[in-house]
Amino acid sequence: MNLITRRIKGMQDLLPIDSYKIENIEKVMKEEAKLYGFKLIRTPVLEHTELFERSVGDTSDVVQKEMYTFEDKGGRSVSLRPEGTAGAIRLVLENGLHNKSLPVKVMYIASCYRYEKPQSGRYREFFQFGLEVFGAESSASDAELICAAYSILKRLQIKNLKLEINSIGCKECRKKYNDAIKEYFGNYQSELCDDCKNRLSRNPMRIMDCKNQKCREISSKAPIITDYICGECSEHFEELKSYLNSQNIEYSVNLKIVRGLDYYSKTVFEFICDLDGAPLTICGGGRYDGLSEIIGGPKFPAIGFGMGIERIFAVMEAQNIEFPEPSVPKVFISSLNDEKAKLKAFELCEKLRRVSIYAQVDVMERTVKSQMKYADKIGSLYSMVIGEEEVNSGIAKIKEMKSGKETNINIGEDFVNEFMELELKKYIG
Ligand code: HAM
């Protein structure tokens, strides 16, 4: 196949056969988030590279290896967003939302770009649904956010869902912890993979996240964060657990969760499902109380999560979860080969659409027989044929496709009303 008719590796097309399913997933996400007070935002796909370097962190894999970075025509370094949080906090700061009433709760659906090795559930372009809360420090805010993620995933009927939580402490706790694991991993320096050798000096906690077998073995005996967490962080974490317990939300504490991005503090969490026999994180998030200051804003706490829409879709398909049926036309209006009839069919169809009724008209200049075949194929509930006779008399026949039952319908002024009455009769007899 010609190069220009092939999509770029790691990028995906969304076909009409799947789009109503994705629409449904996004609808559920937005509806649930609204119940928690989240408002939709949209940020640009391009941001200054430095925003991601400082927020996601220049020791993270995302920034070090995976960003789509280039110079624009003005010689500025810009990057395609690899995730949604950096843009969201930039939006809040730039527009002064943090100076208004708190908390600020925002949601987004954003295409994200990471130059990773494409594989099942891992793409170079993917869509994240994200929620971010700015200004709230309490564990109730962590609990509320996790409840929102949980209720979305439950409403989507995803089965075998695992919630894993951890606390990676505040800046002070992490400094002590980092010193301890630096010393520990330092003893195994020669056995670590090349990436982890590099991580050892720059960000040793990241070694805990490494997928390399040897590194995993070594990190299994590494000091654990819990032993370095201060009283306040520990209390915050215990309170979060009480909230989750009170809502009967099952979770396990996984001390290994450090998350791949640098900005986290205190609570981190992931929702995990199986796909093709392997665990897959479908939602990840946590608190990032220090991020505003890191990118030059005032100090204010924040927490959020990102859900991978493609991953959720893949899991739902694998679990055979049913989606609401896509809508079918109420009526297909076909016309005989006659100019006036064609215009009339077109006009009737538009009239129905103006009152939000899904209707279709022939635009292929097919014969009436093949128009009818098409109406059947697309699942239209009713069909009509308009010819010269119908135009002159102002009356046409409308056929219920399933039963074949035909009724006369006025195609003049009263058309829309009569159509609606016919529909009503069907439901109330
Ligand atoms: P993340 O864990 O890097 O966190 O990504 C969040 C979710 O995006 C993942 O759990 C996964 O479902 C999906 N995802 C990530 N990479 C890919 C990929 N290559 N292909 C398909 N799906 C992917 C963040 O991005 C943070 N911004 C989350 C957050 C928001 N933390 C606080 N607020």
Side-chain angles (χ1 to χ4, degrees):
M1 216 193 290
N2 191 329
L3 195 64
I4 55 168
T5 56
R6 242 188 279 152
R7 61 179 189 272
I8 292 175
K9 193 174 167 191
M11 310 271 159
Q12 295 204 99
D13 293 321
L14 174 61
L15 302 179
I17 194 172
D18 288 330
S19 61
Y20 78 93
K21 299 180 182 174
I22 297 285
E23 256 182 291
N24 182 263
I25 292 174
E26 293 180 354
K27 181 169 163 268
V28 167
M29 289 172 164
K30 285 191 203 160
E31 277 177 9
E32 280 299 312
K34 278 186 192 161
L35 298 177
Y36 288 81
F38 289 89
K39 304 261 163 58
L40 193 67
I41 56 163
R42 201 168 285 168
T43 63
V45 68
L46 274 185
E47 299 274 1
H48 294 294
T49 302
E50 207 186 335
L51 174 69
F52 301 120
E53 283 172 349
R54 288 228 241 151
S55 55
V56 174
D58 52 11
T59 63
S60 66
D61 281 356
V62 171
V63 166
Q64 279 202 342
K65 304 185 202 160
E66 297 165 2
M67 276 215 298
Y68 282 84
T69 298
F70 56 94
E71 269 191 12
D72 69 8
K73 290 195 190 326
R76 286 167 291 257
S77 177
V78 291
S79 297
L80 293 180
R81 66 178 158 227
E83 55 97 59
T85 309
I89 195 164
R90 199 260 316 128
L91 172 145
V92 169
L93 291 174
E94 187 170 348
N95 295 283
L97 301 191
H98 57 296
N99 297 323
K100 301 189 177 141
S101 56
L102 295 175
V104 178
K105 291 176 165 181
V106 299
M107 64 167 134
Y108 53 83
I109 293 179
S111 60
C112 299
Y113 302 83
R114 295 184 191 177
Y115 198 83
E116 295 186 84
K117 193 161 176 262
Q119 50 185 277
S120 163
R122 195 170 290 284
Y123 311 106
R124 290 182 175 170
E125 181 191 60
F126 59 97
F127 285 76
Q128 271 188 355
F129 172 77
L131 297 186
E132 313 285 351
V133 183
F134 299 100
E137 203 164 12
S138 72
S139 51
S141 172
D142 304 39
E144 189 182 50
L145 185 86
I146 293 176
C147 281
Y150 182 79
S151 66
I152 289 170
L153 298 171
K154 279 285 158 194
R155 204 174 130 188
L156 290 171
Q157 300 178 46
I158 294 177
K159 295 178 280 281
N160 305 327
L161 196 59
K162 282 190 216 102
L163 167 62
E164 296 188 346
I165 60 172
N166 191 19
S167 174
I168 57 168
C170 60
K171 224 158 92 188
E172 281 72 40
C173 318
R174 255 201 334 284
K175 190 179 170 321
K176 285 187 213 145
Y177 181 56
N178 263 326
D179 290 345
I181 52 174
K182 206 168 180 172
E183 193 184 327
Y184 170 81
F185 284 118
N187 298 328
Y188 299 92
Q189 192 165 5
S190 57
E191 294 169 61
L192 296 172
C193 73
D194 287 345
D195 275 344
C196 286
K197 279 187 187 120
N198 193 9
R199 287 169 182 144
L200 187 59
S201 56
R202 297 171 68 114
N203 191 347
M205 254 172 89
R206 184 92 330 114
I207 302 176
M208 308 290 275
D209 227 11
C210 184
K211 304 282 177 286
N212 177 292
Q213 185 56 32
K214 187 71 204 170
C215 297
R216 284 171 78 144
E217 266 170 41
I218 298 171
S219 56
S220 68
K221 297 201 180 72
I224 52 171
I225 183 81
T226 331
D227 295 337
Y228 296 84
I229 274 191
C230 70
E232 196 200 318
C233 289
S234 167
E235 200 178 312
H236 187 98
F237 195 45
E238 290 310 311
E239 282 169 7
L240 167 64
K241 289 189 213 164
S242 305
Y243 276 112
L244 296 179
N245 292 338
S246 77
Q247 293 307 304
N248 296 321
I249 296 181
E250 278 182 34
Y251 60 85
S252 54
V253 176
N254 179 353
L255 303 173
K256 289 259 155 5
I257 298 185
V258 292
R259 310 269 308 125
L261 318 174
D262 279 358
Y263 47 61
Y264 292 108
S265 56
K266 291 189 179 166
T267 309
V268 287
F269 63 93
E270 290 183 350
F271 282 92
I272 298 156
C273 260
D274 271 6
L275 184 66
D276 305 331
L280 184 73
T281 305
I282 54 173
C283 171
R287 191 160 269 291
Y288 50 98
D289 292 346
L291 182 55
S292 171
E293 280 176 292
I294 291 173
I295 62 169
K299 187 172 161 48
F300 65 86
I303 184 164
F305 69 69
M307 281 181 180
I309 295 180
E310 292 80 1
R311 288 191 185 180
I312 287 177
F313 178 47
V315 167
M316 289 176 74
E317 290 279 79
Q319 294 188 355
N320 292 319
I321 294 170
E322 281 185 19
F323 289 87
E325 288 294 314
S327 50
V328 290
K330 285 269 195 253
V331 59
F332 185 90
I333 307 181
S334 56
S335 52
L336 297 172
N337 194 11
D338 172 89
E339 278 316 305
K340 278 192 189 151
K342 279 188 199 165
L343 279 175
K344 189 69 186 175
F346 193 91
E347 174 201 315
L348 294 176
C349 211
E350 275 297 296
K351 275 189 174 161
L352 291 176
R353 290 165 180 160
R354 293 294 73 78
V355 292
S356 301
I357 292 172
Y358 176 13
Q360 294 261 42
V361 65
D362 176 62
V363 290
M364 297 296 292
E365 314 228 303
R366 290 183 169 116
T367 61
V368 169
K369 199 172 159 210
S370 38
Q371 289 184 47
M372 283 300 121
K373 255 197 195 159
Y374 179 71
D376 198 39
K377 196 168 155 196
I378 60 175
S380 184
L381 301 179
Y382 292 96
S383 69
M384 290 169 68
V385 181
I386 309 292
E388 200 183 346
E389 199 185 311
E390 283 76 13
V391 174
N392 291 336
S393 67
I395 303 284
K397 285 203 176 348
I398 182 161
K399 182 166 98 177
E400 196 188 330
M401 300 289 278
K402 214 168 173 186
S403 63
K405 191 178 153 205
E406 287 190 325
T407 320
N408 279 345
I409 187 164
N410 190 318
I411 55 170
E413 285 301 303
D414 284 339
F415 172 64
V416 171
N417 282 341
E418 284 198 12
F419 186 88
M420 295 210 272
E421 264 171 39
L422 189 77
E423 266 288 278
L424 264 181
K425 264 196 212 143
K426 207 173 122 190
Y427 292 112
I428 55 177

